[in-house]
Amino acid sequence: MSTSAFTTLPAPVTLEGHGVRLVPLSPDHVAGLQAAAADGELWTLRITSVPEPEHAGVYVAAALQGQADGHMLPFAVTDAASGAVLGTTRYHDIVPALARLEIGYTWYGRSRQRTHVNTACKLLLLEHAFQALGAAVVGWRTDNYNTASQRAIERLGAHRDGVIRHHALRRDGTVRDTVMYSLLAGEWPEVRAHLRYQLQRPRG
C-alpha cells in the first residue's frame, strides 16, 4: 500500500511577510503572550484556548512538549517592525505518513483582530505547508459556537468536512461539537491567489 509523505518534515522555522513574522515559540514569549491576551481579556472567552496570564508559561511548555513529541510546531506571531508579540498559532496533529497537518491554537490580541494579521499568517503558514513541506492536505477545527472562526476559515476557501459531535472539552468543563475543515494541495493555487489579493487591497 502506497502512502503520501511530506517532502520535508516540519521543523522550527521563521516565516515573514506582509508586516508579520512567525518565529518558533519559546519561553521568552511568555510575557508577550500575557500582554497580547490582556488586550481584550481573551481568556474569558469560553470558546477559545487563550491562557489566563498566570498560566501562559504552562501553555508555552505544553506547546513545546507537543513539538518535542512530533505532533505540533508552535509559533509566536510578532510584528515584523517592532518585534511585539501579537498572538500565537501553530501546526498541530501533524501526520507525516499522510503529509497532513492542521493549523490551529490561533489567537491575537483584540486590537489585532479584524486586521490583515490573520490573513498574512494564514498565507505564510499555507505557503510553507504546501510549497516547502509538500503537504497533501491542511486542516482546521473549531468550536461549533465559534462562528467568527468558522467564517474566517471559510473565507480562506477551506472545505467544511463536517461536525464531530461531543468531541472535546471546553475550558468551562462543557463538551463541544467540533467543526472540521480542510484544504487539499490541488485547491491551494486558487486560495493563494485570493489571499494575495486580499493583502494587496488598501487597509482601512
Side-chain angles (χ1 to χ4, degrees):
M1 182 178 65
S2 63
T3 60
S4 175
F6 292 117
T7 55
T8 302
L9 286 174
V13 65
T14 295
L15 307 174
E16 183 174 349
H18 309 284
V20 300
R21 182 182 295 119
L22 277 61
V23 299
L25 188 67
S26 80
D28 293 339
H29 296 117
V30 169
L33 290 178
Q34 289 173 327
D39 179 8
E41 297 187 350
L42 303 180
W43 62 87
T44 63
L45 303 175
R46 67 189 289 262
I47 55 175
T48 71
S49 61
V50 181
E52 295 88 343
E54 65 271 22
H55 296 154
V58 174
Y59 181 88
V60 170
L64 294 178
Q65 185 59 56
Q67 177 176 305
D69 292 341
H71 59 83
M72 287 185 176
L73 190 60
F75 298 88
V77 179
T78 67
D79 182 89
S82 69
V85 175
L86 310 180
T88 184
T89 189
R90 72 186 74 164
Y91 295 136
H92 66 96
D93 284 76
I94 298 170
V95 186
L98 300 177
R100 177 185 173 87
L101 53 77
E102 297 184 29
I103 296 173
Y105 297 85
T106 302
W107 56 270
Y108 316 102
R110 181 168 292 172
S111 64
R112 302 295 181 153
Q113 297 172 14
R114 301 181 184 277
T115 70
H116 74 289
V117 169
N118 186 57
T119 303
C121 288
K122 292 301 185 290
L123 177 58
L124 292 171
L125 289 167
L126 288 167
E127 280 182 339
H128 187 69
F130 285 121
Q131 296 170 213
L133 304 180
V137 60
V138 173
W140 291 263
R141 62 181 70 188
T142 190
D143 191 296
N144 60 305
Y145 282 122
N146 195 344
T147 55
S149 176
Q150 291 171 45
R151 288 195 298 269
I153 296 168
E154 289 166 5
R155 281 197 299 270
L156 296 173
H159 176 79
R160 181 178 171 123
D161 296 321
V163 179
I164 304 175
R165 302 179 66 186
H166 201 76
H167 181 242
L169 281 173
R170 297 189 182 94
R171 64 193 309 130
D172 63 1
T174 58
V175 182
R176 79 178 198 186
D177 294 347
T178 297
V179 187
M180 302 293 295
Y181 293 87
S182 65
L183 182 70
L184 300 175
E187 299 164 339
W188 163 235
E190 178 63 21
V191 170
R192 177 180 57 198
H194 177 65
L195 292 177
R196 287 178 174 174
Y197 168 75
Q198 293 284 60
L199 288 167
Q200 290 168 357
R201 298 172 63 185
R203 299 176 191 171

